[in-house]
Amino acid sequence: MRNRRAWIRRAAPLAFASLAGFPARPAATDEVTYSVEVGAQAVSVDEDRDSKFEEHRDVPQGAVLDSFRLGWLPESSPWSFSAEGRNVLRLDQGYAVTFGRTGRFRVRTWWDQVPTFSSRGSTWLLAGRPGDYTLSSDFRQVLEDAALGGTVEGLVPGVLAASARPLDLRVRRDRAGGALTVNLARGWDLDIEAGREKREGSGRISIGTYIRSSRSAGNFDRESFEVRGLEMPDPVDFRAASYSLSTSFHRKRGFVTVGWQGARFSNEVDTLFWDNPFEAAPSVASASDRGRFARGALDLWPDSTYRRLFASGGVKLPARTRIAATVARGKAEQDDPFLPFTQNEALSFPGPDGTLGTADDVPGTDPSLLPAASLGGEATTTRADFRISSRPLDPLTVRGSWRRYEYEDERPELFFPGYAAFGESFFRAGIGQTVGGSPVLFNERKGYTRTAWSVGGSWRFGRPASLDVEYGSTEWEFDERQVEGTTEDIAQVRLRFEPLGWLSGRVAWLGSSRDFEGDYEVGFELSGVRDFSVWERDRTRWTAEVDFAPGDDWTVGVAYVRWEDEFPGVVTSPSFAPPYGTAFPYGLNRAESDSASVSASTATRRWTFAAAAGWDRSEWESLSVTKTDVAGADYNPANRWSRRQDDDLIWANVAIEGQVVPEKVRLDLGVGVSVHDGALETANLDAPNVNSAVAVPFPDLEARLYTARLGVRWTLAPGVDFEARYWHEPFRLDDFSWDALRPYMQGVVEEIRSAPSDVQPAAAQRYLFLDSRYSDYTANVLSALVRVRF
């Protein structure tokens, strides 16, 4: 790492939470108030790949205008006005204007920006406009010939130096909107709101492919797979608009609201085409690579619209009883054109005679093969809910609720002649779907209905404690899923206690059990990998919080939360025939998390102190299977492996704020640390087969973030402050996968496979990345600001 001085043209709030944001609303006795905070700062970052430092913020050097506010609130007039801004002229800036007349109307408008900075100084070999990346056939041929000749490692540095172009990966989101509330009459309001959002820039997107080639005679009936990865700039150019109109009528005994909402999303770059840099020819995949694609395509987010009508209301009844209800009906539409089956001109589909490889075959690039020009997708949503609560006795409260949500998938059912497997030239007629015993590929409607109900109540035992219990059930009915439906029963118990004036606490428990109805249909390609979103699940969650005051000026809090999901059982289906049996316990098996924290604070007339520390852990475990029997057609349950991921985060923060010289000099100090450790463990549960995914020991991941901030504020005169701030932030990252991302990596594959027992690990051979990594950095920010307020 080399030390350098980096002047950064970006900005972020540099003050502590107590200094951030806008000044408080002016008092009613002041007609006009304003405040402004302006100054200068310098930034030093000692690493080129420092995009993590400004991932969602803008930290500038030079002159800065942190915030301003102008307010007008005359005591003798019903009119009011305010304008405010933060991080002025930076990439994370925001502004708002509010004005109105008390009892008549109120208008609020706003505009802000949200940056996302992924990488500074990435390198990229392809060219072309966003959404269509090209690479010269000469350069692609050089890479292909060099790879076949084993000379890439020596060639690539020169190729990169001559051809790679630098670029930054960043996306900017602009949001603007306005809201109007009009009082039409006593208890009758009209609300209008509209918003617009624009996102522009370049993110990153990854596409995986591989080489698949037959082995020479004498090897064990296997083929060789060489992994290849390609990372590209993701063109981002979105537009989104939302609008709503509603009216509400309020009276002492109840209310009614009726309204309409709408939203529209459009993508200015809705397709992505790219030349495969690992192929030799620009239009036809190379024969040496068994027809891998030379040009790929991906359909990006489609344009869509959504409209919704809704009504809600509530009423107070005798015996301290309230009821409320909501109904809503919505419509979503999407009509994005389909892409051809493939960009690979070497791939053909069967013609009218239905036989592949005959004279009437149709190129897969021909749009006439598609059953429709676009999906013409439509979906209707219906929501209804009802809630009731009552307090028949002073210590007793009872409640109940019922909710129903229906998603009607109204897409047309389309029948396709087949599909092109991604990254290759192989034609497939189906993926396990059949009609009349023949393979047929078609889309399935994914509608569903969700119904939930619950009953509960609470009893207060005077001041010392209150007990709350609730029981409910959620039922799902699916149109086309692996199961007909699921039912989940949920029970909750919450206990609040305050036995002493200086001690209070809360303890809660939640338990639920989900099961599916009918047979579990395995699904496409009979993979045997269960869908955990509809599978059996047992969930448990514990929560405990205690707050106490050991002294007159001290408060202490302790909290702990544990959450655990278990997915018991196995997938059973007659689709799996002996000798492999019918039991396949694959997919997500278990997920759990723990969170513990402790906090303490104290305050005196001149000083305040606050500290907090915590530990968060998450862990999940899954089982996987590969298609490894010698016939090459079935999934072998004996060849399975497990994967467990464990993440631990330890964090702590300390803040001290006080008056060094009363009414003159104020000190703010904050220190924070965050330590993350991640572990990934894999294990083969049985002896691996020839095509097994062989478990390997992965190094642990480590990330460290330290932050120290110091601010000194000096009151020069009433309403005028001078403030000096210093911000020190080191970040350290040790990630085996992240560290390895270079523009081009060349590995070595050792293949000596003549029998199932003769298995050698095969390294991933070639990757082409943007070099879009971030890494360690140490940032120092020094600021001098003047705040004026009247």
Side-chain angles (χ1 to χ4, degrees):
M1 180 185 300
R2 63 186 181 88
N3 199 7
R4 70 178 180 87
R5 187 79 170 173
W7 300 108
I8 305 174
R9 301 171 47 210
R10 312 176 66 86
L14 302 181
F16 299 111
S18 61
L19 303 179
F22 303 119
R25 180 176 175 84
T29 55
D30 298 330
E31 290 200 0
V32 179
T33 60
Y34 69 87
S35 67
V36 61
E37 191 169 23
V38 63
Q41 67 185 21
V43 181
S44 172
V45 184
D46 66 351
E47 172 58 47
D48 288 332
R49 301 193 175 277
D50 57 4
S51 58
K52 181 68 174 178
F53 176 59
E54 294 185 293
E55 187 173 10
H56 298 295
R57 60 194 179 194
D58 193 2
V59 184
Q61 71 86 23
V64 293
L65 176 54
D66 262 17
S67 66
F68 71 84
R69 178 184 172 91
L70 173 63
W72 177 57
L73 187 62
E75 184 179 9
S76 58
S77 172
W79 292 90
S80 64
F81 171 86
S82 69
E84 54 192 26
R86 59 175 175 78
N87 301 334
V88 178
L89 300 181
R90 308 179 197 176
L91 293 181
D92 55 354
Q93 60 191 324
Y95 308 91
V97 175
T98 303
F99 67 93
R101 180 181 173 91
T102 303
R104 295 293 182 86
F105 74 93
R106 182 176 184 268
V107 177
R108 184 174 185 269
T109 61
W110 64 88
W111 176 71
D112 63 20
Q113 290 182 344
V114 180
T116 300
F117 189 22
S118 300
S119 176
R120 185 195 313 277
S122 296
T123 53
W124 179 229
L125 296 176
L126 279 71
R129 61 180 177 82
D132 193 348
Y133 301 130
T134 60
L135 186 65
S136 72
S137 57
D138 292 339
F139 181 44
R140 187 168 44 245
Q141 187 67 63
V142 169
L143 288 180
E144 183 74 13
D145 293 343
L148 294 175
T151 61
V152 171
E153 197 161 358
L155 174 69
V156 165
V159 172
L160 289 176
S163 306
R165 60 187 178 94
L167 75 162
D168 290 347
L169 299 180
R170 65 182 71 218
V171 175
R172 194 183 79 181
R173 180 171 60 177
D174 294 74
R175 301 181 300 188
L180 168 65
T181 299
V182 180
N183 180 240
L184 302 176
R186 179 176 172 270
W188 184 15
D189 295 331
L190 174 69
D191 292 285
I192 303 174
E193 185 169 337
R196 182 172 175 82
E197 180 175 317
K198 177 177 69 174
R199 297 192 192 187
E200 293 180 322
S202 294
R204 53 191 174 198
I205 191 170
S206 298
I207 301 295
T209 184
Y210 55 88
I211 298 175
R212 178 183 180 187
S213 56
S214 299
R215 310 312 303 154
S216 59
N219 281 359
F220 177 70
D221 189 28
R222 293 294 111 191
E223 292 182 316
S224 172
F225 291 84
E226 178 187 314
V227 177
R228 293 173 170 184
L230 176 62
E231 188 178 51
M232 300 179 291
D234 181 14
V236 177
D237 196 356
F238 299 162
R239 304 291 186 274
S242 61
Y243 25 83
S244 65
L245 172 66
S246 64
T247 183
S248 301
F249 186 75
H250 296 262
R251 280 292 183 263
K252 184 177 181 180
R253 305 292 301 181
F255 74 95
V256 175
T257 299
V258 179
W260 174 82
Q261 294 174 322
R264 184 176 187 86
F265 174 84
S266 62
N267 192 352
E268 303 300 315
V269 183
D270 61 352
T271 56
L272 178 59
F273 298 91
W274 69 94
D275 289 345
N276 184 356
F278 301 115
E279 290 302 333
S283 60
V284 179
S286 65
S288 64
D289 209 5
R290 287 197 58 184
R292 299 304 102 181
F293 73 98
R295 185 160 173 80
L298 185 66
D299 198 12
L300 302 178
W301 295 105
D303 297 354
S304 61
T305 60
Y306 182 70
R307 299 175 298 277
R308 176 176 179 259
L309 284 170
F310 65 92
S312 61
V315 62
K316 296 180 180 179
L317 300 177
R320 293 181 289 190
T321 300
R322 297 184 180 186
I323 60 173
T326 300
V327 293
R329 181 85 166 173
K331 186 80 168 182
E333 296 177 308
Q334 184 267 100
D335 198 22
D336 197 47
F338 286 145
L339 292 177
F341 282 99
T342 180
Q343 300 295 308
N344 187 350
E345 297 177 3
L347 173 59
S348 293
F349 280 53
D353 67 1
T355 303
L356 185 63
T358 55
D360 66 345
D361 288 351
V362 181
T365 55
D366 191 342
S368 67
L369 280 172
L370 296 168
S374 63
L375 176 64
E378 294 184 2
T380 301
T381 61
T382 305
R383 173 196 169 191
D385 66 68
F386 175 82
R387 301 172 302 280
I388 183 171
S389 64
S390 181
R391 191 179 175 190
L393 303 173
D394 286 341
L396 175 64
T397 301
V398 295
R399 63 185 182 275
S401 68
W402 176 89
R403 300 179 300 277
R404 182 179 177 88
Y405 181 84
E406 184 175 0
Y407 181 89
E408 301 174 66
D409 190 346
E410 300 167 347
R411 295 176 295 175
E413 192 171 63
L414 303 177
F415 291 82
F416 297 82
Y419 75 100
F422 183 79
E424 61 180 325
S425 63
F426 188 68
F427 165 79
R428 296 184 179 182
I431 49 178
Q433 297 173 305
T434 60
V435 173
S438 300
V440 177
L441 179 63
F442 55 91
N443 65 303
E444 292 185 318
R445 298 184 179 95
K446 298 295 184 181
Y448 65 89
T449 300
R450 181 180 69 242
T451 305
W453 60 266
S454 66
V455 294
S458 63
W459 183 276
R460 184 166 185 83
F461 303 92
R463 175 180 176 179
S466 65
L467 178 66
D468 186 284
V469 296
E470 183 174 292
Y471 178 80
S473 179
T474 301
E475 298 179 1
W476 297 72
E477 296 178 7
F478 302 107
D479 291 343
E480 295 290 345
R481 289 290 295 272
Q482 292 88 341
V483 300
E484 298 176 5
T486 64
T487 300
E488 182 170 16
D489 298 315
I490 307 169
Q492 300 185 66
V493 179
R494 293 179 286 267
L495 174 64
R496 296 175 177 268
F497 54 89
E498 190 177 352
L500 302 170
W502 52 270
L503 176 65
S504 64
R506 294 160 295 281
V507 179
W509 170 87
L510 179 146
S512 69
S513 178
R514 184 181 69 191
D515 201 353
F516 59 83
E517 302 168 7
D519 294 330
Y520 186 96
E521 300 296 334
V522 172
F524 297 158
E525 293 192 279
L526 307 180
S527 65
V529 179
R530 69 188 182 197
D531 184 348
F532 67 88
S533 68
V534 298
W535 189 251
E536 298 175 59
R537 183 185 69 190
D538 294 328
R539 169 170 289 179
T540 306
R541 186 181 67 207
W542 285 95
T543 303
E545 300 177 10
V546 177
D547 297 318
F548 59 96
D552 293 339
D553 299 325
W554 279 90
T555 60
V556 178
V558 180
Y560 175 75
V561 179
R562 177 173 176 79
W563 163 81
E564 183 175 353
D565 278 355
E566 296 280 355
F567 297 87
V570 296
V571 175
T572 58
S573 172
S575 302
F576 292 93
Y580 305 116
T582 60
F584 296 84
Y586 306 125
L588 183 64
N589 271 14
R590 180 178 59 86
E592 62 182 45
S593 69
D594 295 274
S595 179
S597 63
V598 58
S599 61
S601 64
T602 184
T604 64
R605 188 174 61 87
R606 291 176 53 183
W607 293 92
T608 61
F609 168 85
W615 166 70
D616 299 292
R617 182 188 70 90
S618 64
E619 180 181 314
W620 60 265
E621 185 177 277
S622 66
L623 296 176
S624 302
V625 63
T626 56
K627 184 188 286 186
T628 56
D629 96 307
V630 176
D634 298 306
Y635 286 82
N636 187 347
N639 183 36
R640 53 202 172 100
W641 76 95
S642 66
R643 171 171 171 161
R644 186 180 72 86
Q645 185 163 328
D646 191 349
D647 291 282
D648 286 271
L649 175 66
I650 299 175
W651 56 271
N653 297 294
V654 175
I656 301 174
E657 178 180 343
Q659 301 180 56
V660 179
V661 179
E663 310 300 329
K664 282 292 184 181
V665 181
R666 189 175 189 85
L667 173 71
D668 293 294
L669 173 65
V671 178
V673 59
S674 173
V675 178
H676 171 242
D677 293 293
L680 176 62
E681 298 178 5
T682 62
N684 290 101
L685 305 181
D686 298 281
N689 202 326
V690 135
N691 259 5
S692 297
V694 180
V696 298
F698 291 98
D700 291 344
L701 178 148
E702 296 181 356
R704 307 287 187 267
L705 176 65
Y706 308 93
T707 300
R709 303 192 187 194
L710 174 64
V712 178
R713 185 190 307 173
W714 180 22
T715 299
L716 303 176
V720 180
D721 295 336
F722 171 79
E723 184 172 357
R725 304 173 184 167
Y726 175 65
W727 172 14
H728 177 67
E729 183 175 288
F731 173 75
R732 301 293 179 262
L733 176 66
D734 185 5
D735 184 339
F736 70 95
S737 60
W738 202 247
D739 293 340
L741 299 187
R742 296 289 188 266
Y744 197 87
M745 296 189 297
Q746 179 70 15
V748 177
V749 177
E750 297 180 1
E751 293 182 341
I752 307 173
R753 299 184 177 185
S754 58
S757 60
D758 188 8
V759 177
Q760 298 292 330
Q765 179 101 335
R766 286 188 284 179
Y767 294 85
L768 186 62
F769 285 102
L770 276 169
D771 198 17
S772 59
R773 301 161 295 126
Y774 60 77
S775 62
D776 300 352
Y777 67 80
T778 299
N780 294 280
V781 182
L782 182 62
S783 308
L785 300 165
V786 175
R787 174 182 294 176
V788 180
R789 60 189 184 278
F790 291 103

